[in-house]
Amino acid sequence: GGLYVFSDEGQRVFARFGQPPVSLVPMMLDQNLRNTKQIASTFATLTPIRMRLFGGDGPQVHFIECEPTEAMEAGDDAVDELIDDGWRPEDIALLTTGSRHLEQSERQARGQAEYWETLWDAEQVFYGHVLGFKGLERSAIVLVLNETHVGERSRERIYVGLSRARDQLVVCGSSAMIRAIAGEDVVRALIPGRGS
């Protein structure tokens, strides 16, 4: 027996200070098993160490080029397409990087407990913000890049958003904004064959 503690500094919910009350041996986890290789390759350059991609093969990441002000509508259309393609609603989450989706706001207005119950609802798509979805995952994620300017947490938001999907990832946003936040390598991973 033993105690194993895992953390990802790129996905901290709260700032942490100090040391744990027990001695721990830090180990770098450099293998990605959660995401398909296609998904993991989109955020590989955003990780602090080079990751070995051991997830299975899956469909290509689908990128929808649009302005941040159009990303929410594109995301809604992408959710509809996934359902039309046979994805179950409970396997899909739509995550935003900027303002919340209207559906999320309405669910949260009924109370946080009721809102979080929808995470497990077998008949609904889950709607959330990337910063509230740290440590969580879904088979299919529609990532809505609706931030209108690059801020101090923009890189963290895109990293978390790209890494939440296990099998299918749809990204709705501006390649120029992605380039400004995360760099050309992420743009190339999202849009294969595209030059600088």
Side-chain angles (χ1 to χ4, degrees):
L3 174 66
Y4 299 90
V5 178
F6 299 94
S7 72
D8 180 344
E9 288 302 305
Q11 297 191 47
R12 287 181 300 162
V13 176
F14 305 106
R16 295 180 183 97
F17 304 100
Q19 296 293 324
V22 296
S23 43
L24 301 172
V25 177
M27 300 173 70
M28 297 302 284
L29 300 178
D30 64 352
Q31 299 176 20
N32 180 303
L33 302 170
R34 173 192 292 165
N35 317 100
T36 64
K37 291 174 183 162
Q38 290 79 1
I39 294 169
S41 68
T42 66
F43 61 87
T45 59
L46 300 176
T47 60
I49 61 169
R50 184 179 172 93
M51 298 293 291
R52 294 183 290 164
L53 310 181
F54 289 138
D57 284 318
Q60 287 299 316
V61 172
H62 184 56
F63 179 72
I64 300 168
E65 178 78 45
C66 58
E67 292 302 313
T69 55
E70 303 164 340
M72 197 77 79
E73 185 177 342
D76 286 336
D77 291 344
V79 167
D80 291 341
E81 280 186 42
L82 287 171
I83 291 171
D84 289 346
D85 288 345
W87 286 90
R88 300 177 309 174
E90 69 263 27
D91 292 331
I92 303 168
L94 181 147
L95 304 177
T96 62
T97 59
S99 62
R100 286 164 173 70
H101 191 283
L102 179 60
E103 183 66 28
Q104 178 184 0
S105 297
E106 288 175 358
R107 290 179 188 182
Q108 286 181 316
R110 295 183 217 127
Q112 287 299 315
E114 189 171 329
Y115 167 69
W116 283 106
E117 284 178 20
T118 67
L119 179 66
W120 311 111
D121 191 318
E123 297 178 14
Q124 294 187 65
V125 171
F126 183 78
Y127 292 84
H129 190 276
V130 292
L131 295 180
F133 210 73
K134 290 180 175 186
L136 301 174
E137 60 185 38
R138 271 292 199 268
S139 293
I141 293 289
V142 175
L143 178 60
V144 172
L145 302 174
N146 62 333
E147 287 181 86
T148 55
H149 68 281
V150 178
E152 124 183 4
R153 298 188 77 184
S154 295
R155 188 175 173 94
E156 172 188 8
R157 288 176 177 154
I158 200 166
Y159 167 64
V160 172
L162 292 172
S163 64
R164 301 299 88 209
R166 289 190 308 263
D167 303 306
Q168 178 67 68
L169 176 61
V170 179
V171 179
C172 306
S174 160
S175 56
M177 182 71 89
I178 295 167
R179 185 176 295 105
I181 294 170
E184 186 62 34
D185 288 339
V186 174
V187 174
R188 276 195 221 107
L190 287 169
I191 313 169
R194 181 170 174 159
S196 303

